[in-house]
Amino acid sequence: MRDRTRTRMMVETVPGLDGLTTEMTTWRRDLHAHPETAFEEERTSDFVAEKLRSFGLEVHRGLAKTGVVAVLRNGEGPSVAFRADMDALHIHEETNLPHSSRNPGRMHACGHDGHTAMLLGAARYLTENPVFQGSIAFVFQPAEENEGGGRVMVEEGLFERFPVERVFGMHNWPGLEVGRIALRPGPIMAAYDIFELTLTGRGTHAAMPHLGTDTILAGSQIVSAFQTIPSRSVHPVDAAVVSVTQFHAGDTWNVLPATSVLRGTVRTFRPEVQDMVERRMGELASAIAGANGVEADFRYERRYPSTINSAGETELARRAAVRVVGEGAVDLDPMPSMGAEDFSFMLQKRPGCYIWVGAGPSDHGRNLHSPHYDFNDALLPIGVSYWVRLAETLMPKAA
């Protein structure tokens, strides 16, 4: 098995991190062992708030139920926000590690435990080494997975209570080598939508299909037709994914059910493509259902917008990244991901940049959302160093 901690790139972390890295590792593994899912991050929120208070920071709680925001003020100057996500996933862990989940059916399978530990480490380091003038809001967000905690924090007044000028986030990225950082201006992650299609016909004996209307047949045709949208309705240089992930129909062998339900997800980057895909899905569902003599009830819900980095803030993030991993290890043109991020809601309100930090090989199932995934602790000093260098890049030096 490969050594995940081996760093091939030349990484220059900020000085004095040895002891803090050991502490962050302890924090991260404690959080990993006690995963909590969307808006239920009570223990996690308590853990984060207690650490932040122990650093001497001003701590605020209650946004989006379990969110935590700590503010570090050091004189007059710019005000920025650094964000980490805290929630876990509904996955049964299969790593068999000493710090495996103690909460059955819940797991930190996306590295939010590591993101939280790195931002806590940055908060402590910057509190002890306030080399800048200005203010930093450390935002610990709940419910990134599926439930839009970032949207809720914004709606509940995040930027009114903490009027920052810019906002920044990061995510560990398996498959990208440890010691590399990837970022790009413009879209870096896709919009995330969901859909549900209910087909209603006349159920009948499976041996007498002519007496009913077959919702399974209609649904099967619709599944195939949906796949023609990316290939025939979307411009070839644009991107779209339409995935039917659920097909619920029937309960036994010899009955054609009166109802079938299809559910799934759509991913796009441009709003015009998003609009067109939604429209075409509704048209195809209605037309094919009608041709099969069944009724279609199509529901489409827009969950997360595309994550779009602003050009100026991406350049500032690049400068900070170069100071940590070097010019040659910063990828400025990574292929955008069709995955989604609710940090996008914060970027809709404030300019900013979202980066990917290399997490090493993704073999042996160690990819995001896998039951075999575990955050690579070798990233902890890299993440803290990026946050520190970003603070120094964004704000003037302390007098």
Side-chain angles (χ1 to χ4, degrees), residues 19 33 55 60 69 132 138 151 174 237 248 271 273 284 286 311 325 334 397:
F55 306 157
H60 304 262
V69 181
F132 62 89
F138 299 97
R151 171 184 55 79
V237 300
H248 302 282
V273 176
L284 287 170
S286 178
V325 299
K397 290 183 179 181

Side-chain angles (χ1 to χ4, degrees), residues 135-197:
S135 300
I136 302 175
F138 299 97
V139 179
F140 295 85
Q141 179 211 303
E144 188 280 325
E145 301 287 358
N146 296 304
E147 302 306 323
R151 171 184 55 79
V152 177
M153 290 193 91
V154 169
E155 290 176 349
E156 292 186 0
L158 173 66
F159 294 128
E160 287 72 33
R161 291 182 60 182
F162 310 97
V164 301
E165 299 157 20
R166 299 178 169 117
V167 61
F168 295 84
M170 72 160 68
H171 204 293
N172 79 99
W173 209 249
L176 184 65
E177 192 172 5
V178 173
R180 298 192 72 90
I181 290 176
L183 67 164
R184 69 191 310 274
I188 190 168
M189 300 191 79
Y192 162 42
D193 302 337
I194 62 172
F195 63 86
E196 179 179 87
L197 173 63

Side-chain angles (χ1 to χ4, degrees), residues 150-394:
R151 171 184 55 79
V152 177
M153 290 193 91
V154 169
E155 290 176 349
E156 292 186 0
L158 173 66
F159 294 128
E160 287 72 33
R161 291 182 60 182
F162 310 97
V164 301
E165 299 157 20
R166 299 178 169 117
V167 61
F168 295 84
M170 72 160 68
H171 204 293
N172 79 99
W173 209 249
L176 184 65
E177 192 172 5
V178 173
R180 298 192 72 90
I181 290 176
L183 67 164
R184 69 191 310 274
I188 190 168
M189 300 191 79
Y192 162 42
D193 302 337
I194 62 172
F195 63 86
E196 179 179 87
L197 173 63
T198 302
L199 300 170
T200 305
R202 293 195 312 276
T204 185
H205 197 296
M208 306 172 190
H210 60 291
L211 300 179
T213 50
D214 190 346
T215 60
I216 290 180
L217 178 61
S220 300
Q221 293 173 0
I222 290 169
V223 171
S224 295
F226 279 173
Q227 300 313 304
T228 67
I229 298 173
S231 64
R232 289 296 176 267
S233 297
V234 176
H235 192 289
V237 300
D238 279 321
V241 173
V242 180
S243 293
V244 178
T245 58
Q246 300 179 46
F247 195 141
H248 302 282
D251 299 295
T252 190
W253 289 271
N254 60 348
V255 174
L256 290 174
T259 302
S260 294
V261 178
L262 284 69
R263 299 188 183 99
T265 185
V266 173
R267 307 298 172 106
T268 55
F269 288 108
R270 297 202 302 122
E272 308 92 290
V273 176
Q274 187 180 32
D275 292 341
M276 184 276 297
V277 171
E278 178 181 358
R279 175 178 56 80
R280 287 294 293 142
M281 290 180 74
E283 292 170 350
L284 287 170
S286 178
I288 295 170
N292 282 274
V294 304
E295 296 181 359
D297 180 15
F298 182 65
R299 181 177 68 87
Y300 192 99
E301 180 181 333
R302 300 190 180 197
R303 284 290 182 98
Y304 296 177
S306 181
T307 303
I308 302 175
N309 289 333
S310 50
E313 283 62 34
T314 301
E315 170 57 20
L316 292 168
R318 183 199 68 81
R319 294 179 197 172
V322 166
R323 293 184 63 189
V324 179
V325 299
E327 191 84 44
V330 177
D331 183 356
L332 289 174
D333 191 26
M335 183 177 294
S337 170
M338 299 309 287
E341 241 293 346
D342 75 344
F343 185 65
S344 54
F345 290 103
M346 297 185 187
L347 288 174
Q348 285 188 328
K349 297 297 183 180
R350 294 293 187 275
C353 182
Y354 184 78
I355 71 167
W356 296 333
V357 181
S362 60
D363 53 359
H364 304 291
R366 292 183 303 214
N367 52 294
L368 301 178
H369 294 206
S370 163
H372 302 285
Y373 170 88
D374 186 40
F375 181 86
N376 187 347
D377 289 328
L379 272 64
L380 294 170
I382 296 174
V384 169
S385 297
Y386 168 76
W387 286 129
V388 172
R389 296 309 187 200
L390 183 61
E392 295 173 351
T393 302
L394 296 172

Side-chain angles (χ1 to χ4, degrees), residues 19-53:
L20 182 54
T21 298
T22 300
E23 284 195 76
M24 286 190 293
T25 302
T26 301
W27 301 341
R28 202 283 296 179
R29 295 183 181 186
D30 180 272
L31 292 168
H32 188 93
H34 301 90
E36 297 170 303
T37 50
F39 299 118
E40 298 176 351
E41 306 93 334
E42 300 289 349
R43 181 189 184 278
T44 304
S45 182
D46 289 344
F47 181 97
V48 168
E50 187 278 326
K51 294 297 179 190
L52 294 167
R53 288 194 186 99

